[in-house]
Amino acid sequence: MRFDTIIHGGTIVTAADVVRADVGIRNGRIVTIADRLTGGDVAIDAGGRFVLPGGVDAHCHLDQPEPPDAPADAPVMADDFRSGSASAAFGGTTTLMSFCVQHKGGSLTAAVDDYHRRADDQSVIDYGFHLILTDPTPQVLGQELPALIRRGHTSLKLYMTYESLRLTDTQLLDVFEVARAEKAIVLVHAENHELLVWITERLEAQGRTAPYAHALSRPSPLESEATHRAVTLVEIAGVPMVVVHISGGEPLEEVRRARARGVTVFAETCPHYLTLTAEALSAPGMLGAKCICSPPLRDDNAQAGLWRGIEDGTVDVFNSDHAPYRFDGQGKLSAGANAPFSKIANGMPGLETRMPILFSEGVVKGRIDLSRFVALTASNNAKLYGLHPRKGTIAVGADADLALWDPEKRVVIRNQSLHSNCDYTPYEGMEVQGWPQTVMSRGVVVVQDGELKVAPGHGRFLEQGPSSAWGSGDRIKSWV
Ligand code: DUC
Ligand code: ZN
Ligand code: ZN
C-alpha cells in the first residue's frame, strides 16, 4: 500500500493504549497502523517520541465581539483565529472550539454568520463553535436554536453570571428543554450572580478594589451553590451538562455527588486552577490584573482537590479557557490604569501552554499516566462535543491530527517565545518538561521545530455530531 506519509519509530498513545507502531496516512486520514510500514512518499522519523492525537481544546475565546452597546473603552480580545489557532498548534493542539456569542436583542443565527466571517480562512487548525445563548426569545428557542443544532452546533454555553450574558433559572430551563428535544449538550458557567454583586458592592464601599479583591468577591461557596443549582436544573430537565472551568475541590464535589445519583454531568478544569493561586492577584501595583479570571484562582487546598479529581477520574476534560486580554492598550486595563477589579476583563491566555503544563505537572510528576493525559486533553473533548472518532484519537479512519511529543524537552515558559498576541503569560518563568516537536493537521505538517508551516485557512470548520453523552437511547431521564 502507498501512503502520502508514514510516521515511524514512535510510540502511539491513545486514551486506551500505549503501543510501539507506525502510522500510515493517505488523503489526510490515518489508513494503517502497523508494526512496520514502508512505502510513504514522505517518511517522518518520530525518533522514539510519543505520537499523540493532536489536542482538542474545547474552551477558548477568540475574536469574541463585545455587545453593540458596550462602552468605547470596552476591552478587546488580543487573539483572532489567526494568532489564536497558531498559538494552539505550537502547543500541540489541532482542534479548537471557540464561542459564538448571541448578544441580547440580537439573532443567534446572525451571530453564527458573523463568527464565520471572523474565523473562515483564518485558522491554521480545524475549529468548531459552541453557541453562547443570552436571549432565549420565542424566535430563538422555537426556530433559530433547533435549526442551528441540526446544522452541527450541538453544544451551548450558558452563563449564570455576567450582566450581558446571564440567564435566569427559568430561562436556563427553557433552553434546556430545547437542548433535550434536539439532543444538544450544555456547558454552564456556574457562579451565583446576585451573591457576587452583593459582596462586590461591600468591598467597593470599603475601598477594596485592587485586583486581589476580585478573589474575595467570588468565594468558593458561591461557585458550589451555583454548581449545585445547575445540576438540579439539568437533572429536572434531563439534559447532559459540562460544568466548565471548575476552580477547586469544593464545586467538584457537587459534580461527584450528582453523578453518584445518576445525573449526566461532566467536569472541566483549566491549567491556571491547577498551577496558580489567588496569591498571584497580590502582585505589585496592578500586575495582579493579569490573573483575574472567573471563577477566580483559589488556594492550595482547592488545587489539591482538583488534582484528586484529575487522578480519580472525576474531571473529564482539561481546557485552556484562553481569554486573551493584553496588559497594555485596550485590554485588561482598558477602563483605566487603576481600574477597580470589577471593571477588569476576566481571563488569561493559555492555548499554547495547556498540554505542556498538564504533561509536566501530571505525567512527569507521576500523577496521571499517558492515556489519561490523552483522554483529558483530546479524546474526551472530541467525544463530548460530537467530533469523535474523527478527532481526538489515533485510529484507522480518523483525521491524521498528530503531535509528535518530546517527553524530555525542557522549556522555561517565556511570553516572547509564545505565539499568542497577548503581551504576557501567567506562567512566565515556569519550567515544564514535554513539548511537541512536530504537529500535523489532516496529514499536513503545521508546526515543525518551532516554525509554522501552513498559511491561515488550512483549518476547516467542523460540524459537530451529537454528544456521546446522549448515548444510544433515552437513558437521560427527565422529570417533566
Ligand atoms: N471567565 C469566563 O467566564 N470567561 C472567560 C475568562 C474567564 O475568566
Ligand atoms: Zn465562563
Ligand atoms: Zn470561558
Side-chain angles (χ1 to χ4, degrees):
M1 194 190 256
R2 296 282 325 158
F3 304 103
D4 298 334
T5 305
I6 56 174
I7 297 171
H8 61 89
T11 297
I12 296 175
V13 184
T14 66
D17 297 301
V18 180
V19 287
R20 243 288 308 119
D22 294 353
V23 181
I25 298 167
R26 203 166 50 225
N27 297 331
R29 298 216 166 183
I30 296 168
V31 289
T32 304
I33 298 169
D35 200 19
R36 288 253 175 281
L37 290 176
T38 52
D41 295 345
V42 176
I44 296 177
D45 182 1
R49 295 180 188 84
F50 294 127
V51 182
L52 309 180
V56 179
D57 191 334
H59 188 155
C60 58
H61 302 264
L62 298 176
D63 203 3
Q64 192 172 304
E66 286 293 312
D69 59 352
D73 65 359
V76 175
M77 272 189 180
D79 282 316
D80 55 14
F81 277 83
R82 194 177 274 225
S83 59
S85 66
S87 171
F90 276 101
T93 290
T94 53
T95 299
L96 63 84
M97 301 264 332
S98 190
F99 293 92
C100 169
V101 61
Q102 172 209 20
H103 293 306
K104 289 200 193 245
S107 145
L108 186 57
T109 313
V112 171
D113 294 343
D114 171 66
Y115 212 44
H116 270 293
R117 283 191 288 277
R118 292 166 186 267
D120 297 348
D121 303 325
Q122 298 300 315
S123 186
V124 299
I125 58 172
D126 292 352
Y127 58 94
F129 301 160
H130 303 292
L131 306 179
I132 296 179
L133 204 146
T134 66
D135 198 359
T137 59
Q139 159 76 14
V140 168
L141 290 179
Q143 279 145 64
E144 295 190 25
L145 181 57
L148 286 165
I149 295 172
R150 286 174 208 164
R151 268 169 51 189
H153 297 281
T154 58
S155 48
L156 322 173
K157 183 173 180 192
L158 307 162
Y159 285 80
M160 297 171 86
T161 186
Y162 294 125
E163 211 52 74
S164 63
L165 302 172
R166 75 193 183 102
L167 302 184
T168 64
D169 291 358
T170 309
Q171 289 175 317
L172 286 168
L173 286 165
D174 288 344
V175 179
F176 293 167
E177 200 171 26
V178 179
R180 177 176 174 81
E182 298 294 335
K183 295 223 179 329
I185 185 166
V186 297
L187 298 79
V188 174
H189 178 132
E191 287 184 293
N192 182 317
H193 183 74
E194 292 187 14
L195 195 37
L196 70 88
V197 168
W198 190 87
I199 301 173
T200 301
E201 282 167 5
R202 270 141 194 83
L203 288 167
E204 287 181 341
Q206 296 161 21
R208 298 161 85 187
T209 60
Y212 80 91
H214 172 78
L216 305 179
S217 74
R218 308 168 100 109
S220 179
L222 165 167
E223 183 183 347
S224 297
E225 183 281 329
T227 304
H228 181 83
R229 186 155 36 99
V231 162
T232 307
L233 300 181
V234 295
E235 181 176 11
I236 299 295
V239 65
M241 168 175 69
V242 181
V243 184
V244 292
H245 45 49
I246 294 177
S247 69
E250 288 172 4
L252 190 61
E253 197 52 38
E254 297 294 340
V255 171
R256 229 182 238 117
R257 285 178 27 205
R259 258 190 213 157
R261 64 175 194 271
V263 186
T264 308
V265 53
F266 302 89
E268 176 197 81
T269 194
C270 313
H272 36 289
Y273 299 120
L274 284 181
T275 54
L276 305 171
T277 66
E279 256 180 60
L281 301 179
S282 298
M286 291 297 283
L287 288 174
K290 292 180 177 178
C291 290
I292 283 187
C293 63
S294 293
L297 301 175
R298 305 221 183 263
D299 57 15
D300 291 345
N301 194 34
Q303 236 176 46
L306 278 182
W307 275 115
R308 271 195 299 281
I310 293 261
E311 287 163 23
D312 72 12
T314 309
V315 174
D316 300 285
V317 284
F318 184 74
N319 290 316
S320 65
D321 197 4
H322 181 84
Y325 295 100
R326 291 177 68 91
F327 198 62
D328 68 9
Q330 200 157 353
K332 281 276 181 188
L333 301 179
S334 68
N338 291 304
F341 70 81
S342 58
K343 300 255 175 329
I344 293 174
N346 283 204
M348 55 184 104
L351 263 170
E352 190 162 347
T353 44
R354 176 186 72 119
M355 292 178 70
I357 284 175
L358 187 62
F359 189 87
S360 193
E361 293 295 311
V363 179
V364 175
K365 293 197 173 164
R367 290 162 157 149
I368 54 171
D369 65 17
L370 285 165
S371 287
R372 178 91 175 113
F373 172 74
V374 167
L376 284 161
T377 55
S379 319
N380 290 352
N381 275 315
K383 288 177 188 168
L384 278 182
Y385 300 123
L387 301 172
H388 191 82
R390 183 172 166 199
K391 302 293 188 189
T393 193
I394 298 179
V396 170
D399 282 355
D401 288 7
L402 303 166
L404 306 196
W405 193 271
D406 184 345
E408 304 298 334
K409 183 161 174 155
R410 286 172 184 275
V411 174
V412 176
I413 297 175
R414 299 278 176 216
N415 195 56
Q416 64 187 35
S417 311
L418 302 178
H419 300 82
S420 158
N421 273 339
C422 202
D423 58 354
Y424 75 93
T425 166
Y427 310 108
E428 187 73 32
M430 176 178 172
E431 191 183 41
V432 290
Q433 183 182 328
W435 205 276
Q437 188 215 22
T438 305
V439 179
M440 300 176 83
S441 158
R442 284 180 276 100
V444 174
V445 173
V446 175
V447 168
Q448 171 78 49
D449 292 319
E451 267 188 56
L452 187 65
K453 298 288 186 186
V454 296
H458 168 80
R460 291 188 196 146
F461 175 70
L462 296 165
E463 267 181 32
Q464 303 161 245
S467 169
S468 61
W470 277 105
S472 49
D474 292 331
R475 68 187 172 83
I476 302 179
K477 175 168 156 283
S478 152
W479 289 61
V480 285

